[in-house]
Amino acid sequence: MSSLIEEMGAKATALGFPLCVQIDLTYRCNERCVHCYLDHEDHGEMTTAEIKDLLDQMAEAGVFVLTLSGGEILMRKDFFEILEHARRLTFCIKLKTNAVMIREREAARIRELGVESIQVSIYSHRAEVHDAITLVPGSLKRSVDAIRFLKAQGLKVTIANVLMLPTVRDYPGVQALARDLGVEVTIDPTITPRMDGDRSVLRLGIGQSELRQAFADESLVGNVDEFCAISAPPGESELESVPCSAGHSTCYVSPYGDVYPCVQFPLPTGNVRQQRFIDIWRHSDQMNEVRSIRLKDLSSCSQCVHGASCTRCPGLAYMEGNMRGPSSQDCEKSFARTGVPSANLLSKKPSMAGLVQIRSIPVMAGVSA
Amino acid sequence: MSKLYLARDARSAVRVLDGEAMVMSGRDSTLFSLNKTATLIWQAADGQTSLDEIVERRVCQEFEVEFGSALQDAENMARELAGHGILQISEEPISQTNPLTGESQ
């Protein structure tokens, strides 16, 4: 199936339609995760009618995979009305949720509505650690109970776990919990800066030594030798390739109708309250600028030994100040994976001349060699 | 040969692009890519129109193919898709209640 999805992605890119879109229905949330990049106030969310109209437009535009996320999606009282409308339009629907508000009845309705999969955030298998991240006592139990309700309905559930300093030792426990629950688990070390530009949450990210340990763990990366191998520098075809699907076959819509190339790429390209979705997708200058970028256009990355294999996120690069620049988090990952610093890391390294200074020291009177 | 009726599975996800459908099974998330002929049949599978009518009125007119072989190919395709749970087939017209909405189809 993955190859067919890749084929679809290539077709979508060639034909210029948005195959996969994520809509955040709300930024409101019933948890207050310490690493979260969102402002949880409601600054004027789209109404039910606006979201239904947007879904109609998206179906017409050819969107196939629709991810509904937040915030917490169930904070919207009209969540199931929106979901029903989306399924009438025959989207393949994925949900991202903390699942705290999902009980037997909600799980049954999600099943009836033909949701493809549900991703649930679990930060640790230990309540004292998970609940200290969400700042909601009892949240781990509620989320795990919900996973059981969803599984009892035969639904596909994936646990999403973030590797960060307060939780990094617990991922084997989360993997064991996932096995017990009969669900998949995805583990990611990426911490995203806050949407208002505040980068202080990045202090929660794990460092080189933890990344190296994670990348040497077969349960996370599969074949370690293959994963950590240094690939050949980008060749001509790679240099002509697009660095990411953001803006090519995927995009993101905020609760306020703002359209971005990706949830992790907060470059404003238009607002569906002012323009039709398809017009933003096709004609936005910003979207077309993102689309124009090829690997060869990335000043540092095109020259980097990791250029062909790096997980470089253009959104993180944009948040660092330049969408054509490197994403330092990904440089750190490539370094931890291979032991070879990226071109970007090398350029940041203080010069040896500045660090090592040799000068003659006058011999003190009365001291002899 | 008895008539065959087809109905799309309401839990499937589908989108038609450039005349070709992507269909994801609601049963096991298997993804299918249908060619233009299969897509035409899929779109016409309303549970009430028989397969031979679909082939005669839609497929043969659209693609200029011979009825007998087109019908045989269409039936093979329908049985394969039914095996994957994205299409129902029956020798009687199919009346469905959409499990998503509770509405009759």
Side-chain angles (χ1 to χ4, degrees):
Chain A
M1 184 184 125
S2 60
S3 62
L4 194 48
I5 275 282
E6 282 165 22
E7 201 181 298
M8 302 286 183
K11 184 177 173 182
T13 301
L15 293 173
F17 68 82
L19 184 68
C20 307
V21 174
Q22 175 170 323
I23 304 179
D24 278 357
L25 297 177
T26 178
Y27 287 157
R28 288 174 289 132
C29 192
N30 48 359
E31 292 184 336
R32 285 292 178 274
C33 297
V34 295
H35 63 293
C36 186
Y37 55 92
L38 295 173
D39 162 9
H40 295 300
E41 296 301 312
D42 176 359
H43 298 290
E45 293 170 1
M46 284 186 283
T47 63
T48 313
E50 284 176 316
I51 291 178
K52 285 181 175 178
D53 178 54
L54 173 61
L55 294 174
D56 292 343
Q57 292 182 46
M58 286 180 168
E60 197 179 326
V63 176
F64 181 50
V65 179
L66 175 69
T67 301
L68 298 177
S69 184
E72 171 47 45
I73 46 179
L74 281 135
M75 293 292 281
R76 280 198 71 123
K77 290 187 167 52
D78 57 359
F79 169 69
F80 281 106
E81 187 179 344
I82 291 166
L83 187 55
E84 283 170 20
H85 190 81
R87 279 299 291 132
R88 278 197 187 95
L89 295 166
T90 68
F91 290 107
C92 166
I93 296 178
K94 298 170 182 284
L95 304 179
K96 291 184 179 179
T97 172
N98 60 38
V100 162
M101 295 166 79
I102 296 177
R103 303 292 91 185
E104 289 103 323
R105 195 177 64 168
E106 289 78 17
R109 190 68 187 128
I110 289 168
R111 169 65 188 147
E112 282 168 3
L113 288 169
V115 167
E116 195 271 333
S117 60
I118 304 102
Q119 182 174 295
V120 180
S121 304
I122 298 288
Y123 302 111
S124 168
H125 59 297
R126 295 183 293 154
E128 64 271 26
V129 177
H130 175 93
D131 295 357
I133 297 292
T134 65
L135 304 181
V136 177
S139 56
L140 178 65
K141 184 180 183 316
R142 295 279 299 188
S143 294
V144 170
D145 285 349
I147 292 172
R148 292 200 171 96
F149 298 141
L150 292 164
K151 280 297 292 176
Q153 292 292 332
L155 285 157
K156 188 160 85 181
V157 180
T158 299
I159 285 177
N161 178 254
V162 182
L163 285 183
M164 52 185 152
L165 286 175
T167 64
V168 67
R169 290 182 183 166
D170 286 5
Y171 78 80
V174 175
Q175 289 173 314
L177 175 65
R179 278 193 298 275
D180 288 347
L181 293 165
V183 303
E184 298 289 313
V185 60
T186 170
I187 297 174
D188 187 350
T190 308
I191 303 282
T192 305
R194 284 178 59 90
M195 290 189 97
D196 61 8
D198 180 354
R199 299 177 69 81
S200 62
V201 289
L202 299 184
R203 75 187 186 284
L204 296 168
I206 59 175
Q208 272 293 314
S209 65
E210 293 90 357
L211 271 175
R212 280 194 195 119
Q213 283 178 35
F215 290 163
D217 184 340
E218 217 169 56
S219 74
L220 291 180
V221 302
N223 185 313
V224 174
D225 290 338
E226 272 181 28
F227 182 78
C228 294
I230 303 165
S231 61
E236 264 186 41
S237 66
E238 279 125 354
L239 288 169
E240 291 295 335
S241 66
V242 298
C244 172
S245 62
H248 292 272
S249 61
T250 68
C251 72
Y252 163 76
V253 185
S254 82
Y256 313 122
D258 295 311
V259 181
Y260 301 107
C262 170
V263 64
Q264 207 159 252
F265 196 160
L267 170 71
T269 66
N271 186 293
V272 294
R273 282 170 158 159
Q274 280 128 35
Q275 289 170 273
R276 288 186 61 76
F277 171 76
I278 193 66
D279 290 332
I280 298 169
W281 174 259
R282 284 186 184 152
H283 306 304
S284 152
D285 290 342
Q286 294 83 359
M287 204 66 94
N288 283 322
E289 185 184 0
V290 170
R291 276 182 203 131
S292 72
I293 299 173
R294 298 291 178 272
L295 180 55
K296 67 180 180 188
D297 303 318
L298 309 179
S299 52
S300 175
C301 304
S302 60
Q303 308 299 317
C304 179
V305 65
H306 302 302
S309 59
C310 182
T311 56
R312 176 188 175 275
C313 169
L316 292 175
Y318 171 75
M319 283 189 270
E320 264 185 68
N322 179 5
M323 72 169 97
R324 291 176 177 79
S327 150
S328 294
Q329 277 198 63
D330 292 296
C331 292
E332 293 290 348
K333 285 182 204 166
S334 290
F335 182 32
R337 187 170 57 82
T338 61
V340 177
S342 69
N344 172 44
L345 293 182
L346 282 172
S347 72
K348 284 181 179 171
K349 201 171 171 183
S351 72
M352 296 298 277
L355 279 177
V356 181
Q357 295 185 356
I358 300 172
R359 58 193 169 97
S360 61
I361 300 170
V363 177
M364 290 175 70
V367 178
S368 59
Chain B
M1 191 166 65
S2 56
K3 282 183 183 291
L4 209 58
Y5 294 86
L6 320 178
R8 297 179 296 274
D9 177 64
R11 284 200 175 86
S12 300
V14 61
R15 192 66 68 231
V16 178
L17 296 159
D18 199 28
E20 297 185 345
M22 292 176 277
V23 184
M24 185 177 280
S25 161
R27 189 171 68 184
D28 59 9
S29 299
T30 308
L31 185 63
F32 302 90
S33 174
L34 308 187
N35 66 16
K36 286 188 164 63
T37 319
T39 299
L40 203 68
I41 295 167
W42 168 273
Q43 288 176 311
D46 59 4
Q48 303 299 310
T49 312
S50 66
L51 183 58
D52 55 357
E53 283 177 87
I54 294 171
V55 171
E56 187 182 358
R57 293 181 192 169
R58 305 288 303 276
V59 179
C60 290
Q61 288 191 14
E62 184 84 15
F63 297 103
E64 293 180 10
V65 287
E66 191 265 318
F67 175 77
S69 61
L71 183 61
Q72 189 58 55
D73 286 350
E75 191 173 327
N76 291 342
M77 181 216 78
R79 291 194 189 283
E80 188 186 339
L81 295 183
H84 291 292
I86 62 172
L87 201 63
Q88 284 184 56
I89 56 176
S90 169
E91 293 183 358
E92 302 292 330
I94 303 165
S95 295
Q96 285 184 311
T97 299
N98 188 331
L100 310 177
T101 61
E103 294 162 355
S104 292
Q105 292 183 308

